[in-house]
Amino acid sequence: MQVVVSGLTSEDEVVFTVYPNPADNLLMVKADGLNTDGCTAVIYSTNGNITRQLELTTNNGQLNTTIDVVDIPAGVYVLRIVTAAATKTIRFTKQ
């Protein structure tokens, strides 16, 4: 799943890619064009409980990370990625 976040600044656009969806054991998160050194990723269950919270490091405006979801029960979740400039919410399914 690819999600484009625009409006961060007058000229920037960030593309988040989250895969596979549905996820089995690992969830890959990639982004390019970030104007920050890091960001926070929070996984919420559908009832709003925080399942996992991670501090992620970017490198030259790029995010390329793997989130281990093997111990999360099967179901639908929301991944919220928070940077200094924007917040993006992405739904994913854990098998």
Side-chain angles (χ1 to χ4, degrees):
M1 171 185 299
Q2 193 174 69
V3 179
V4 177
V5 180
S6 58
L8 298 178
T9 68
S10 60
E11 61 190 12
D12 292 327
E13 186 174 272
V14 177
V15 176
F16 286 92
T17 305
V18 178
Y19 64 94
N21 194 5
D24 194 21
N25 296 326
L26 300 173
L27 187 65
M28 306 297 288
V29 180
K30 295 185 177 189
D32 194 15
L34 296 169
N35 293 327
T36 184
D37 290 331
C39 58
T40 302
V42 184
I43 298 175
Y44 294 92
S45 63
T46 53
N47 62 5
N49 292 331
I50 295 176
T51 303
R52 177 156 302 137
Q53 183 167 342
L54 306 157
E55 294 299 321
L56 306 176
T57 304
T58 59
N59 185 12
N60 294 325
Q62 295 182 339
L63 174 65
N64 186 6
T65 193
T66 303
I67 299 174
D68 184 357
V69 294
V70 70
D71 60 338
I72 296 175
V76 177
Y77 293 88
V78 173
L79 172 64
R80 178 170 289 163
I81 301 172
V82 181
T83 70
T87 299
K88 185 59 196 165
T89 303
I90 303 164
R91 249 175 90 167
F92 73 95
T93 302
K94 164 63 167 71
Q95 288 185 334

